[in-house]
């Protein structure tokens, strides 16, 4: 950049595109929120981008009255169980890959990387057949197990890159003091890899929470539905009630927004681990 009065020349074009991108991201969110606070009658007569003349939570109460809490609880159970298993399995696998440094661990790491290239859509038929043969069809386990399997490869990659940045001298000093691998894993590696663990937790929780294909194919009962599938159901039930549909969208997105707001800094640190090397 050229000097501009003792400083740097302002990037006007970049700033302009930044504001344009901000509008592209914010306007749909604003539209969803303000529309969910309208009545159906006001939705047809008011400007869609104006503030509601008579804000109301009627659309939210209507969503609550249509088994929303059942779908919400199912999503919480599936997401928490899936992310918990992923964190434990992927973290232990990443620890072995980084610490052992053998030809076998390198091949295992290559297999994990190969799993990233396999799309879920290409395996839905064998996954469906396997779930049916295991007797897990139309259960929450039918959503948890495949979600764990498809999330582990990318989780291992993130955790492995972060663990490689932990100085080996710290592990060696603990080993000299008589610590076992299990103690080094949970007392040293886990605290130092907290940003990466938060990254994996938020990233996988986002994918599991918004997952639609597995719930659509592997469940059919109303009491086993999760929020993404229930939004589809709400769209059919409230086909002429746009505020109710958007109220359901707001309620389904709110938990992840809160989780990202609290963990965004550690998430960025985990995703950028090893970039400067």
């Amino acid at each position: 950049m050229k000097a501009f009065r003792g400083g740097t020349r302002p990037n006007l074009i970049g700033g302009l595109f930044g504001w344009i991108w901000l509008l592209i991201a914010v306007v749909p969110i604003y539209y969803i929120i303000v529309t969910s606070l309208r009545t159906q009658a006001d939705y047809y007569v008011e400007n869609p981008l104006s503030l509601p003349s008579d804000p109301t939570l009627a659309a939210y109460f209507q969503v609550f009255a249509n088994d929303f809490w059942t779908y919400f609880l199912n999503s919480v159970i599936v997401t928490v169980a899936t992310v918990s298993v992923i964190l434990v399995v992927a973290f232990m696998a990443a620890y072995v890959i980084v610490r052992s440094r053998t030809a076998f661990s390198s091949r295992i790491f290559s297999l994990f990387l190969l799993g990233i290239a396999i799309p879920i859509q290409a395996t839905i038929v064998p996954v469906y057949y396997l779930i049916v043969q295991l007797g897990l069809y139309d259960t929450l386990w039918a959503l948890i197990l495949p979600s764990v399997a498809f999330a582990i490869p990318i989780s291992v990659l993130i955790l492995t890159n972060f663990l490689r940045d932990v100085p080996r001298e710290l592990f060696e000093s603990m080993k000299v003091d008589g610590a076992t691998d299990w103690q080094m894993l949970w007392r040293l590696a886990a605290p130092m890899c907290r940003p990466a663990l938060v990254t994996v937790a938020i990233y996988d929780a986002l994918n599991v929470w918004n997952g639609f294909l597995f719930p659509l194919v592997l469940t059919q009962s109303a009491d086993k539905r999760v929020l993404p599938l229930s939004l589809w159901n709400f769209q059919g039930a409230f086909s002429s009630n746009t505020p109710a549909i958007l109220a359901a969208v707001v309620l389904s997105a709110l938990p992840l927004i809160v989780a990202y707001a609290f963990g965004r800094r550690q998430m960025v640190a985990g995703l950028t681990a090893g970039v400067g090397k």
Side-chain angles (χ1 to χ4, degrees):
M1 289 186 179
K2 297 180 179 180
F4 183 71
R5 293 185 180 180
T8 58
R9 184 183 298 275
N11 189 351
L12 298 179
I13 297 178
L16 177 62
F17 279 106
W19 281 106
I20 293 175
W21 178 253
L22 179 63
L23 289 175
I24 293 175
V26 170
V27 170
I29 299 174
Y30 169 80
Y31 169 78
I32 291 173
I33 294 175
V34 298
T35 303
S36 68
L37 298 175
R38 304 183 195 274
T39 63
Q40 184 63 12
D42 292 339
Y43 171 73
Y44 286 115
V45 298
E46 293 183 351
N47 186 331
L49 294 181
S50 66
L51 292 175
S53 59
D54 186 18
T56 178
L57 297 177
Y60 290 90
F61 289 120
Q62 188 172 359
V63 171
F64 290 145
N66 284 267
D67 296 329
F68 174 84
W69 290 115
T70 300
Y71 309 142
F72 179 83
L73 180 60
N74 288 340
S75 287
V76 170
I77 293 173
V78 171
T79 302
V80 171
T82 300
V83 172
S84 299
V85 175
I86 291 171
L87 287 178
V88 173
V89 174
F91 187 55
M92 290 192 296
Y95 179 85
V96 172
I97 291 171
V98 172
R99 290 288 296 153
S100 62
R101 294 191 175 184
T102 61
F104 177 75
S105 64
S106 299
R107 293 190 184 97
I108 294 297
F109 186 54
S110 299
L111 289 177
F112 280 122
L113 295 180
L114 181 62
I116 299 176
I118 301 175
I120 295 177
Q121 295 80 1
T123 62
I124 192 62
V125 173
V127 167
Y128 171 81
Y129 180 78
L130 180 62
I131 291 297
V132 171
Q133 293 300 312
L134 291 174
L136 299 176
Y137 180 75
D138 201 25
T139 66
L140 296 183
W141 284 108
L143 307 180
I144 295 172
L145 296 180
S147 299
V148 169
F150 282 96
I152 282 180
I154 185 65
S155 302
V156 170
L157 176 62
I158 296 174
L159 294 173
T160 299
N161 288 335
F162 203 93
L163 271 171
R164 285 172 176 165
D165 291 339
V166 178
R168 295 183 63 86
E169 291 78 7
L170 296 178
F171 292 102
E172 298 301 329
S173 62
M174 285 194 67
K175 191 173 183 180
V176 170
D177 291 336
T180 63
D181 284 327
W182 187 259
Q183 292 173 327
M184 288 188 290
L185 174 66
W186 298 112
R187 295 183 181 180
L188 173 62
M192 298 198 68
C193 292
R194 184 176 300 173
L197 293 172
V198 173
T199 299
V200 170
I202 295 178
Y203 177 81
D204 291 332
L206 178 64
N207 289 331
V208 175
W209 188 272
N210 292 329
F212 182 79
L213 184 60
F214 286 152
L216 178 65
V217 176
L218 302 178
T219 61
Q220 65 177 7
S221 300
D223 61 341
K224 298 299 187 298
R225 287 176 182 161
V226 291
L227 279 177
L229 196 59
S230 69
L231 292 178
W232 185 37
N233 180 59
F234 287 145
Q235 186 174 0
F238 307 140
S239 57
S240 60
N241 193 340
T242 304
I245 297 174
L246 296 184
V249 172
V250 172
L251 291 172
S252 65
L254 192 59
L256 289 181
I257 294 175
V258 173
Y260 178 77
F262 282 101
R264 68 185 187 279
R265 289 188 178 180
Q266 294 193 20
M267 183 177 179
V268 172
L271 288 175
T272 56
V275 171
K277 292 193 173 185

